[in-house]
Amino acid sequence: MKSYFSELFTGAWSLIIGLKVTIKAMFRPIVTVQYPREKLEITPNYRGHIDLVKDEESGSHKCITCGSCMRECPSDCIVVDGEKREGVKGKALTVFTLDFTKCSLCGACVEVCPTDALDYSNDYELAGFTREEFHFDILKRLEERA
Amino acid sequence: METFYSILPELIRIVICAACGAIIVFGNALVMGYAERKLAGHIMLRPGPMEVGFHGILQLVVDGLKLMGKQLVVPAQADKPLFMIAPLLAFAPVFVPLLVLPFSEKIQGFDLDVGLLLILAFASLNVLAILIGGWGSNNKYSLFGAFRSVAQNVAYEIPMLISLLAIVFMTNTFSLRDIAAAQSPVWFVVLQPLAFLIYIVAMVAETNRAPFDLPEAESELTAGFHTEYSGMSFSLFVLGEYANMFIVCSIATVFFLGGSSGIPLPYFEYSGAIWFLAKVYALMFFLVWIRWTYPRTRFDQLMNFCWKYLIPFSLVNLLITVVMVKLI
Amino acid sequence: MIVFQYIAEALFYAFMILTFLGGFMAVRSRMLMHAVLGLAVALIGVAGLYFHLGSPFLATMQVLIYVGAVCIMIVLGVMLGNTPDQLTTKNFSGRNLLLALSACATGFFTLFITIQQTKFAPAAQMVGDMSIRFVGENLLYKYCLAFELISVILLTAIIGAIILARGGREEVAK
């Protein structure tokens, strides 16, 4: 009989405490970010799809068209091609595409690159209406950035 | 034609009552739908609807239009007539209680001496609607929601009635206007605090709202009895729920918070409605507040609370009231 | 005022049709659930008739108790049972139909002949205003014994329910 009443009072008291918590929360400023209106700074550690690194000295990329990334890719989504040009050592990069619909973001290509020409991009706003929109031309993206 | 003119005022009165009822039901759903989402947002430290209109004030209008435009899907195995009748049955009876509510001394549809009984009778039809909808959907979730709804409503109707009965003993009438008028010096919430508390708890359970929203427990029953409903038939259930909230809060106002009494305003016979609505919406705010504070109860806890706490306490309260009324 | 009378007349027939249709649905429906809902409709119609007869108290109590409580309890019981099976069996066929018809005819003609031969006294004038106060005072002073005896039926029903429930539990325990 004693526990019957004590349960009632402790229960009621806990309910009042709960109400106090929520009424305080109601007048606290909101903490959520209104996404399309305001955006948070993305962390540099974010591992998005791959991008070619811009070389500060030459103003271009560091790719030597070795094709390691293409071979290493478990989903076969990278295509790299180059051609021999006059006065340039090695092959010059002409095609670097990524089929992001198949990419599993494993990062093997970045790991294997001998010249550190690849890095993860910070691009997270990826939405599109067709599959083709995700066949990225990485080389073109680099030129657009430059 | 003299006869026609003699009943004309009464006819106009009926039309006005019906129109006001419709305005209250739909307007209340708009206001409460918006307020609930806004308050829920701010309790969770987020802003709630913000996009349509200033601070999302037109959100509910847009939602209503969207719901009207949606297709009414009837499940292939459902009991079609029952499935279609249930939302109507949930929505239509809410107009009747509005007719007898005394919004102020002079604003009242009809003053019946069975006012309270009328409200309770039509409120009990809501359970039937939930049952029909749950059974007619031919869906396990819906059926479980309907079961729970009945067990819960039947159980909580008892403490609700008994707590109100204590007031009826004190005032000697079922007429809502007389009950509101009887508490001109002191509100009954002062004289009957226990009955008020019991009524508040039972009121939350009767309107199937959190923490007693077991009939539509999202986490275990998808959406409970209205799992299969879409478009307008779903929104009729929601409109009915908000209108029921308005009605139970109005009863609490009339029985415990002095109806339309308050600080006198000019033309108080009419403007008392402002105080009435203020009290009703304060109670509705409380309902929203507790909905977003407490987690859902378990079913055995729900039943234990009713049968072990609310009913004994309300009976003791009734007994004490009767003795006091007899002695004084 | 004649318009009011027409409205009242129309309401009377509307409630009568509602009661009749509900009853027909209750009897004739092959789904048990529909039958119970037909019963609910019939009871709402009866409540309307009470209202038409000038007793809002009785009408509201009819809705509150019969529709709001009794029907819901029956529906709950029906929902626990298995209903769709009953669709396959037809009750009214062959010998059953004949028996049912003869039973109905007997009942109908017995009542019909009795009613025909009875000389009805004019209905007693309605005394009192049928307000709650009037009904309550009559029930608790004038017809107190009848009122209390009816409550004994409820008590019996409650005891019966408890006995049934207990018996069921013990069987499960074994």
Side-chain angles (χ1 to χ4, degrees), chain B residues 91-325:
Chain B
F91 174 66
V94 302
F95 286 98
V96 180
L98 291 176
L99 292 181
V100 294
L101 287 178
F103 289 98
S104 76
E105 270 171 56
K106 290 243 170 108
I107 305 177
Q108 186 182 23
F110 301 93
D111 185 41
L112 293 179
D113 65 345
V114 291
L116 174 66
L117 293 175
L118 191 78
I119 290 178
L120 293 172
F122 279 87
S124 68
L125 290 181
N126 188 38
V127 189
L128 199 63
I130 290 176
L131 258 179
I132 294 175
W135 191 84
S137 303
N138 202 1
N139 172 320
K140 279 176 190 144
Y141 295 131
S142 306
L143 198 58
F144 271 111
F147 276 152
R148 289 179 176 192
S149 164
V150 173
Q152 175 181 330
N153 276 280
V154 168
Y156 276 82
E157 226 164 55
I158 301 167
M160 189 175 184
L161 285 178
I162 296 176
S163 61
L164 292 181
L165 210 55
I167 306 289
V168 172
F169 270 119
M170 288 170 77
T171 56
N172 239 336
T173 174
F174 279 117
S175 156
L176 296 182
R177 184 193 294 188
D178 297 347
I179 289 168
Q183 38 196 327
S184 54
V186 251
W187 294 354
F188 283 146
V189 67
V190 182
L191 301 176
Q192 292 275 3
L194 187 58
F196 181 64
L197 281 179
I198 291 167
Y199 179 81
I200 291 285
V201 175
M203 159 176 114
V204 180
E206 281 290 302
T207 45
N208 296 332
R209 284 179 62 85
F212 303 121
D213 59 343
L214 286 114
E216 40 179 299
E218 296 94 349
S219 49
E220 62 236 49
L221 294 183
T222 318
F225 62 92
H226 55 56
T227 303
E228 297 288 352
Y229 283 94
S230 60
M232 218 42 211
S233 52
F234 165 75
S235 43
L236 283 183
F237 273 120
V238 177
L239 279 173
E241 185 191 315
Y242 280 124
N244 274 330
M245 270 171 75
F246 184 85
I247 291 161
V248 290
C249 288
S250 305
I251 298 178
T253 306
V254 169
F255 272 76
F256 297 102
L257 301 181
S260 59
S261 66
I263 300 162
L265 298 166
Y267 302 105
F268 193 67
E269 285 151 343
Y270 299 98
S271 61
I274 294 169
W275 287 118
F276 185 87
L277 288 178
K279 287 169 194 170
V280 169
Y281 278 97
L283 281 171
M284 301 259 253
F285 166 74
F286 184 69
L287 281 188
V288 173
W289 182 11
I290 61 175
R291 172 171 178 182
W292 298 103
T293 303
Y294 301 140
R296 185 177 305 122
T297 52
R298 224 169 46 221
F299 202 75
D300 60 323
Q301 293 170 334
L302 176 87
M303 283 298 155
N304 275 347
F305 186 59
C306 180
W307 294 102
K308 287 189 184 166
Y309 288 100
L310 290 185
I311 291 180
F313 271 98
S314 57
L315 281 172
V316 168
N317 184 56
L318 182 68
L319 195 70
I320 295 169
T321 310
V322 172
V323 170
M324 293 303 280
V325 167

Side-chain angles (χ1 to χ4, degrees), chain C:
Chain C
M1 281 294 132
I2 200 111
V3 185
F4 267 154
Q5 264 181 15
Y6 282 132
I7 293 172
E9 198 107 312
L11 275 179
F12 172 73
Y13 283 110
F15 285 132
M16 209 173 74
I17 290 166
L18 197 67
T19 313
F20 181 76
L21 282 181
F24 189 74
M25 200 172 135
V27 174
R28 201 59 194 89
S29 168
R30 276 154 71 197
M31 282 281 248
L32 208 45
M33 185 78 177
H34 291 183
V36 179
L37 293 175
L39 180 66
V41 171
L43 290 171
I44 289 175
V46 172
L49 287 179
Y50 285 146
F51 191 78
H52 181 265
L53 287 174
S55 179
F57 172 68
L58 213 52
T60 49
M61 287 319 265
Q62 174 89 3
V63 175
L64 187 65
I65 292 173
Y66 282 95
V67 183
V70 172
C71 268
I72 284 172
M73 275 348 243
I74 299 176
V75 169
L76 196 65
V78 171
M79 277 163 83
L80 288 167
N82 209 1
T83 44
D85 302 342
Q86 278 141 359
L87 276 175
T88 50
T89 56
K90 257 194 160 184
N91 286 332
F92 292 103
S93 59
R95 210 162 63 103
N96 278 354
L97 184 69
L98 203 69
L99 285 174
L101 276 180
S102 55
C104 286
T106 318
F108 176 75
F109 281 110
T110 318
L111 278 175
F112 186 72
I113 292 163
T114 324
I115 291 169
Q116 283 289 311
Q117 288 177 347
T118 314
K119 284 201 169 56
F120 284 103
Q125 201 64 38
M126 193 165 93
V127 280
D129 52 353
M130 284 296 152
S131 66
I132 289 190
R133 192 174 298 274
F134 177 79
V135 173
E137 277 170 4
N138 267 288
L139 275 182
L140 286 180
Y141 292 123
K142 204 169 168 190
Y143 303 107
C144 185
L145 187 65
F147 186 68
E148 290 302 321
L149 282 178
I150 289 168
S151 64
V152 173
I153 297 178
L154 274 179
L155 184 69
T156 322
I158 291 169
I159 293 171
I162 291 171
I163 288 170
L164 281 176
R166 280 182 67 93
R169 270 196 192 165
E170 269 159 23
E171 266 170 41
V172 171
K174 278 170 196 169

